[in-house]
């Protein structure tokens, strides 16, 4: 077999066989196929797409490119959750302990932030002492002991994805739905859970810009899950506005803790309850949606989810006092309160620009190698579409570098707009895709 023939075959719009896909993935993993040929192949896929069977074969070839996590010794069905990435999205910090507190084991492997979107590992590392670098055995033992662990993904899991993603990033082939679907699903399948809930985001702050594209990606991934016996539900959600009210690592931990303390309502809490209920349904922990939702609400109200978070922090070397003492989190030296320039309604709260502004402050990475400042970021005080009076606090900028303030303020002026009349609110939930089909939620 020759890589060039497979590139040509795909370029002409033909489907590759399983054997051909396995050859491409294996030989690329081992360095026998050079980057330029894999780049050409990705570009051919970008233009020609892939049939369902090819995507499944690509996904499984990627899974088999490295180690797989074996969760079989943990009791019961295991469920994982993945978000395609957004702004002020600290759902994993809330959802993982919440579902674990409901008695369902959560063995979660997470990633770091890149660009304007945050990553769970960075957020957790703002808790003093917290380690996300767990050895495989320790990770599994912890899940066995407390039903919960969140750690960085092992480098040996789907190594070809890292190689391919790096290549796609510089060859204009990231936004190909078959390649995205195989990339995400291969990592979830290799991570070992029996069932998967996906939060597929669309909008200004997401990498997919429209609900239609998010729907297509969700449908492909649910089908891959079905084909490889890992039942998957995809929830399509809106990311035009930030999900929560904090953007930045320690600030997002604080916000997640407020939700876990049952002191904070809003979209972030709503989405955690919705995704969590879907997770409980998938593993048959509850009989229906209502039962699941009530159970999770109760675990927020009675402090059990917060307690589970504290147990995880303690097991992973962090100070569990953080759950009630936010002064233990890194604090920026300076705060600047941006006030409303007029009376009206918050008519624009642009997730992308807010994410980019937090990145400019140092909260996010422009490249995988950049270092980040865990303390800095933005705290939004008024939700989208709410009324606001002239002079009311709109947002607090937490910053360490004085010289950045002017440019941050200039950027924020393009992210926020106060309008005369209440704007139309867009629903958070766009669709729910299961093996039975797609249910549009608005
Ligand atoms: N997220 C992934 O993990 N892979 C992609 O290809 C795109 C987004």
């Amino acid at each position: 077999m020759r890589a060039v023939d497979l590139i040509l075959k795909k370029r002409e719009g033909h489907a590759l066989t399983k054997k051909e896909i396995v050859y491409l993935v294996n030989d690329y993993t081992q360095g026998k196929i050079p980057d330029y040929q894999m780049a050409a192949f990705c570009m051919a896929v970008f233009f020609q797409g892939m049939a369902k069977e090819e995507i499944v074969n690509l996904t499984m070839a990627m899974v088999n490119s490295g180690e797989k996590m074996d969760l079989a010794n943990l009791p019961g069905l295991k469920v994982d959750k993945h978000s395609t990435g957004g702004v002020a999205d600290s759902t994993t910090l809330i959802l993982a302990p919440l579902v674990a507190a409901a008695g369902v084991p959560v063995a979660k492997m997470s990633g770091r932030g890149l660009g304007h979107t945050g990553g769970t590992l960075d957020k957790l590392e703002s808790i003093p002492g917290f380690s996300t670098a767990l050895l495989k055995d320790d990770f599994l033992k912890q899940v066995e002991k407390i039903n919960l662990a969140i750690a960085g993904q092992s480098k040996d899991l789907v190594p070809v994805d890292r190689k391919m993603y790096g290549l796609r990033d510089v060859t204009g082939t990231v936004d190909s739905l078959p390649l995205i679907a195989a990339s995400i699903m291969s990592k979830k399948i290799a991570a070992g859970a029996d069932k998967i809930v996906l939060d597929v985001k669309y909008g200004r702050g997401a990498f997919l810009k429209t609900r239609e594209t998010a729907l297509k990606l969700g449908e492909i991934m649910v089908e891959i899950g079905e084909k490889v016996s890992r039942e998957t539900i995809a929830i399509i959600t809106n990311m035009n506005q930030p999900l929560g009210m904090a953007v930045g690592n320690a600030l997002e931990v604080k916000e997640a803790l407020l939700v876990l303390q049952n002191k904070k309502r809003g979209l972030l809490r709503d989405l955690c309850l919705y995704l969590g209920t879907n997770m409980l349904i998938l593993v048959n922990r509850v009989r229906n949606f209502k039962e699941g939702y009530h159970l999770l609400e109760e675990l927020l109200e009675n402090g059990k989810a917060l307690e589970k978070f504290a147990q995880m922090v303690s097991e992973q070397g962090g100070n569990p006092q953080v759950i009630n003492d936010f002064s233990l989190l890194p604090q920026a030296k300076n705060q600047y309160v941006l006030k409303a320039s007029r009376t009206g309604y918050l008519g624009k709260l642009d997730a992308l620009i807010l994410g980019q502004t937090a990145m400019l402050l140092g909260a996010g990475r422009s490249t995988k190698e950049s270092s980040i400042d865990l303390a800095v970021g933005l705290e939004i005080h008024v939700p989208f579409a709410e009324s606001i009076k002239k002079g009311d606090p709109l947002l607090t900028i937490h910053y360490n570098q004085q010289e950045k303030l002017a440019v941050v303020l200039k950027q924020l002026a393009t992210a926020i707009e106060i309008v005369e009349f209440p704007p139309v609110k867009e629903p958070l939930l766009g669709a729910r895709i299961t093996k039975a089909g797609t249910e549009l939620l608005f």
Side-chain angles (χ1 to χ4, degrees), residues 82 161 165 168 174 179-180 183-184 187 207:
H82 178 80
D161 179 63
Y165 193 87
R168 287 165 56 210
V174 166
L179 297 181
I180 298 170
S183 163
I184 294 176
K187 285 176 283 191
F207 84 102

Side-chain angles (χ1 to χ4, degrees), residues 62 72 156 419:
M62 290 173 73
D156 304 325
V419 296

